[in-house]
Every structure is written in C-alpha cells, then in structure tokens.
Amino acid sequence: MVKIGEGIEVREELIKKACNLAMEAHNLSPEKPYIYKKINGSTDVVFAFAGTLSFDGWYSNTSFGETEINTTLFPSLRSVGTDEVAKVNEAFARRFQDILDKSSLKNEVEKAMSKGRHVVFAGHSSGGAIAILAALWCLECCRTRPEGDMLVHLYCMTFGSPLVGNKIWSHALRRENWARYFIHFVMKYDIVPRMMLAPLSSIQELLQAISPFINPKSQYYQRDAVARSSNALNFFMTVMRNASSAASYAACNLKGCTNLLLETVSNIVQLSPYIPFGTYIFCTGNRKLVVVENPDAVLQLLFYSSQLSSEAEAAVVVARSLNDHLLYTNEMQDSLEMQDVIHLNNLTDIPLSSNVDPSDEVASMNSALNDLGLSTRARLCLRAAGEWEKQKKKNEEKIEQNKSSIRDALSKIQEYQTKCDIHKVGYYDAFKIQNTDDDFNANVKRHELAGIWNEIIEMLKRYELPDSFEGQKDWIELGTQFRRQVEPLDIANYYRHLKNEDSGPYLIRGRPKRYRFTQRWLEHFDKVHAGARSESCFWAEVEELRNKPFAQVQNKILSLETAANGWIQSSLLGDDVFFPESTYTKWWKTLPTQHKQTSWVSRKITP
C-alpha cells in the first residue's frame, strides 16, 4: 500500500493499472472517449479518459482559456460566503460536457456505484483534466444522495495532467473535504502540468509546432529531433517564465509583502488564474516520490523543480520536459516498487541547506528535495506556504475563543425576547421603540455580536481561515442561530432611524454581509435553494410592503403570507408576529376586507 495522505492508502497495483489504462486510452478512436475496465480480483473499476492534442481541446479564446464553471452541474464549486463562482478551463469543461451528453458514462458510473464498486477516474495529459471533471461530477451526484458513504469509494488519479481550476475551485474542494480524493502524479520535468501557467498568446504557435512530437498517433512521435528544436526550447522557456511570475507573485503574498508595487505588477503582467488542488506526488527521477497536499507549496514546486542548474543542461532538460510526459508507465513501475515515499507534511521544518548530516532525521527529506533540485530560495517559499497554513490555523483558534462570547450574547438576546413576549410586545417592536433599559442592553449585545461576526466574515473574504472552516457544522449552526435571533434587531434599528428613506430598502441596500454569509452557509450545506427567501428578513419585507398601495403589492403580500405560514409551522417565526400591537398586526388590519377574509392570517389575528 502507498500512503497518500492521512488515513488514505492506495494499492500500488491499482495505481499501476490506472496509469496503464490512462496511457492506453490515447489509442482510442474519437468515438470512444474513455476505457471502462473492471479490475479482476477486486471491486475496483477504472474509467480512463483519452487526451487530445488538438489545440481547441486545450484552449478557448480568453487569455488563459478560463470561464465560469457550470454551477448546475457543479453547484459546490463556488465560495459559499462571497458567492464567487469557480473558474475552469473552458475547453476541458466543454469536452467533458460532450462526453456526458453523448456517451454511456453516466449510466455506467451510476451502475458501478450502486453495486458498491470502488470507482477510479484516471487520465494522462488532457485526459487527466477530463478525469478530474468526471470525478467532481460524481461527487456532486453523491452529495445529493443519502448514501454519503459512497464517497469513500472514489478516487481520481491523473498522470501529467494540466491545471484545471482557479483559487475558488481549490478552496471549494478543501471545504467539502473532497481534495483528498484527487491524486496527481507529476514527473520532475514534465512541461504539461506547468503549461496552463502561460497565456495562450505566448505559446499558441509553439504548442502547435511541437505537438506532433508528443502525439502517439503522429509519425514524429518521440523523435530525438525535438530535443534540438528551437521551438521546444522557446516553448519550455516561455512556460517557465510565466510559471516564475505566478510562483513569485504567490510567494510574495505568502510572505506578507505589502509593497504597492506588487499590486501594480499584477495589474500589468498577465498571471494565470489556475491553482493546484488535491494531493500531488512528484516523481524525482531517482525512484523517489514526494507527496505534497498544500496547494501553495505545489505551485512553488511546479516552478522550482524544473529549473536549469546551468545553460549546458538546457538541451537535456528541454528534451526531458517533453519526453517525461510520455514515460509515466515506466516511472510508476520503478518508483512504486522502491516505496521510497517522502511526505512534506511539516513544511516549516524543511531544511534550508542542501547539505544535511546523513544521521539527521530530515536527511531522507533533504535527499528527495535535492533530487528535485530545490534551491534555498525554493525551500524558503515552501516554508512560507507552511507558515501561512499555520497562521490560518492560529486565526481559527482565535475565532474559536469567541464561541463562548457569542453563545453568552445570544443567550442574553433570548432572555430579552422572552421578557418582551411576557409583556405581549414582540422583541422586534420593543427594540424599534427603544423605551427601556432592556432595549439598550440588547442593543449593546447586538453591537458585540456584530463586531465578532464582522471579523470572521472579513477573514473569510481574505481567505485567512482554513478552507474547511466554512464546512464546520457547529459554526454553520451558530451562524444560523445568530442570524435568526439578531437580524430582526438590525432591521428594527434600520427602520427606526428611517435609513430606508436615505439608502433604500434594507434587503437591497442595508443588509450586512454577516447575515448574507451565514444565510448562504445554511443554504449550501442544507441543500436549500440558493437565494431563497430568509425568515430572518420577514420584518424587512413587512416594512417595505406596508408603505405601498395594496394593489401595487398584492402578489408580494400573498407570497409573504405563504412563506410566513411555512416559517411558523417550522417554528422559525414566533407568535409575537401576531401580538395586538405588532407592526405586522397593525398593518394587516388595514388591508382590504376581501383579502383578510381569504387569508389564513385571520385565524391568528383577532379583528
């Protein structure tokens, strides 16, 4: 067994079989886009996707070929808080959609999963990109089903795959705890996993010129002449120059650089949107495997592990940058037999010097890093990635300390609500009037909670918390409790000060991000329709409707009453809505008699 990550082990034979099938898939005809193979003597099945070397199979018309992902097919690939949609390579997404629509893939995968098979999606080169999308599609399907344990029966293995998605993509997969299902093997000099770091305009002609040399169906396949080709050299140097820009910019951010020049450069230089995700296994070329899970560290390794140590080795490295892409079958055979696997889990402990005492506990790690050709600068960048990961965890620990303060403040708000109910004045209306010390104290707690949650939301917006934070059930529940109890007070304060007259309706102009974020958390993880009407905004809708002529808003009133009925049945709205002196009751009594006679609300409000 090869230990890939915490609690994840994969059989060597399965990796070898997936690799063999991924390479074999290149020989398929265009009508057959993948191989479906049941592995004898096991419950494993492999779907191996064919790659393509046609230019439109790699790039679309934008600088880096990216587009927003289809959220109907991949609803989880977005930032829950900011609602920003992930970017994906458009050509890969289009090709996968075509396979899904025109082949038997969907039926074959569903049949295998229903039988409890261990499904492996595999691909070499651009076939790896299709395998990634297929695995994600499968995970999305599993997410909507009650049999959640099916998720552990899935892997995606790629060999020399290009990058596919952006930062939101990587963030979403770590949030959903799906990144662990993706295992990417990368040869030290293979240029294809780095290729998407260069814009289309810089490599289009070069890629078209060299593609015949790495196309198994071409008469020029694997010809030695490619090593001497100026096109190959220019292609390699162009890709690595852009990789340098991407890695350097990312490293500066990891190290906390605040120089305004950095932002200026990013506005001038085209930087690739693509970011690694999942577990990367770098093949050093000396039968060692280096396992890295930190996406920031992987980006640095993609650049630094392919550096030239001298101009004299340029021809050899350029040749290997293309040849390595075709040698994964042999590499898997040799490296997996050696079982020399190094895990870069503690990035901050990476030795900065290439010279380490052989008896030192980090000697084996250092040997692997030397095999990858990592300089001191490269090691510093890896350490920076580790430090940033640690800082995120420290930020989370700091936020965790606020939980008791949040719960105490919410308890006080609940006491305030209960006290108001006793006096038959709903806490919304009591807070809006602000006549007592209790109202003042509730306002103090509202401000305390706003400060805590605003800090959390800003950290999430800047990605200063672990990606898994948004997926933590206790925080989702606490955020929902906060929104439901406190947002009515914010609405009361908004309309008490007539802010709607200056700024506009609360729902459009006044709703704070802390409530929008926490609502989207619940919608995402409870699989509620995104953008659904929120029970915590009931009073905001009432305030806007009651100041408009009935004929103008009749349909909206009926819609609100229908929603309110459901919220009351679910105990999301209380009977304080119908107290005699509530804003809602007073307004409802002014509605036309014909409407009131047909409304269910008449059973709640005494004429």
Side-chain angles (χ1 to χ4, degrees), residues 4 45 217 289 309 331 351 382 464 501 570 576 596:
I4 303 301
V45 296
K217 297 180 180 180
L289 300 175
S309 59
E331 183 65 29
L382 293 181
E464 292 175 354
E501 296 182 3
S570 303
D576 59 316
K596 290 189 289 186

Side-chain angles (χ1 to χ4, degrees), residues 460-476:
L460 285 171
K461 284 175 59 182
R462 296 191 297 264
Y463 297 96
E464 292 175 354
L465 292 170
D467 294 316
S468 60
F469 181 84
E470 283 185 325
Q472 294 181 20
K473 185 178 179 181
D474 55 343
W475 275 107
I476 295 168

Side-chain angles (χ1 to χ4, degrees), residues 55 58-66 90-91 94 200-201 204:
F55 192 78
W58 288 75
Y59 282 97
S60 60
N61 293 325
T62 57
S63 295
F64 290 92
E66 80 279 12
E90 184 177 9
R94 186 172 57 242
L200 167 62
S201 59
Q204 182 172 1

Side-chain angles (χ1 to χ4, degrees), residues 114-187:
S114 67
K115 291 183 176 181
R117 296 276 190 175
H118 291 220
V119 177
V120 177
F121 297 95
H124 169 258
S125 196
S126 64
I130 307 306
I132 288 168
L133 289 164
L136 276 173
W137 161 76
C138 190
L139 286 166
E140 291 282 14
C141 292
C142 291
R143 186 178 183 272
T144 61
R145 299 173 183 173
E147 305 93 342
D149 61 337
M150 287 195 298
L151 299 183
V152 300
H153 301 323
L154 183 153
Y155 281 115
C156 176
M157 298 184 198
T158 72
F159 306 88
S161 171
L163 299 175
V164 179
N166 70 340
K167 183 176 182 178
I168 301 297
W169 175 298
S170 177
H171 162 75
L173 265 68
R174 285 162 72 91
R175 178 194 67 224
E176 300 293 329
N177 200 22
W178 289 351
R180 59 194 172 127
Y181 298 118
F182 295 83
I183 305 166
H184 311 288
F185 290 89
V186 175
M187 298 276 277

Side-chain angles (χ1 to χ4, degrees), residues 55 203-212:
F55 192 78
I203 62 170
Q204 182 172 1
E205 293 183 4
L206 296 169
L207 180 60
Q208 290 172 331
I210 67 168
S211 61

Side-chain angles (χ1 to χ4, degrees), residues 405-420:
S405 298
I406 293 173
R407 292 192 175 103
D408 289 345
L410 289 175
S411 176
K412 295 296 182 183
I413 297 289
Q414 182 60 57
E415 290 175 10
Y416 171 67
Q417 185 174 0
T418 302
K419 191 177 291 186
C420 290

Side-chain angles (χ1 to χ4, degrees), residues 246-311:
S248 298
Y249 180 77
C252 287
N253 285 321
L254 289 172
K255 295 172 184 177
C257 178
T258 58
N259 194 322
L260 293 178
L261 182 61
L262 184 66
E263 191 64 33
T264 302
V265 169
S266 68
N267 292 329
I268 298 173
V269 179
Q270 283 187 307
L271 294 173
S272 172
Y274 298 109
I275 295 291
F277 75 94
T279 300
Y280 270 72
I281 303 181
F282 286 84
C283 308
T284 67
N286 289 339
R287 298 186 177 185
K288 296 188 180 100
L289 300 175
V290 179
V291 182
V292 191
E293 297 178 36
N294 183 309
D296 295 317
V298 172
L299 180 60
Q300 299 301 319
L301 280 173
L302 286 174
F303 170 61
Y304 283 107
S305 63
S306 288
Q307 295 303 292
L308 301 175
S309 59
S310 66
E311 291 186 12

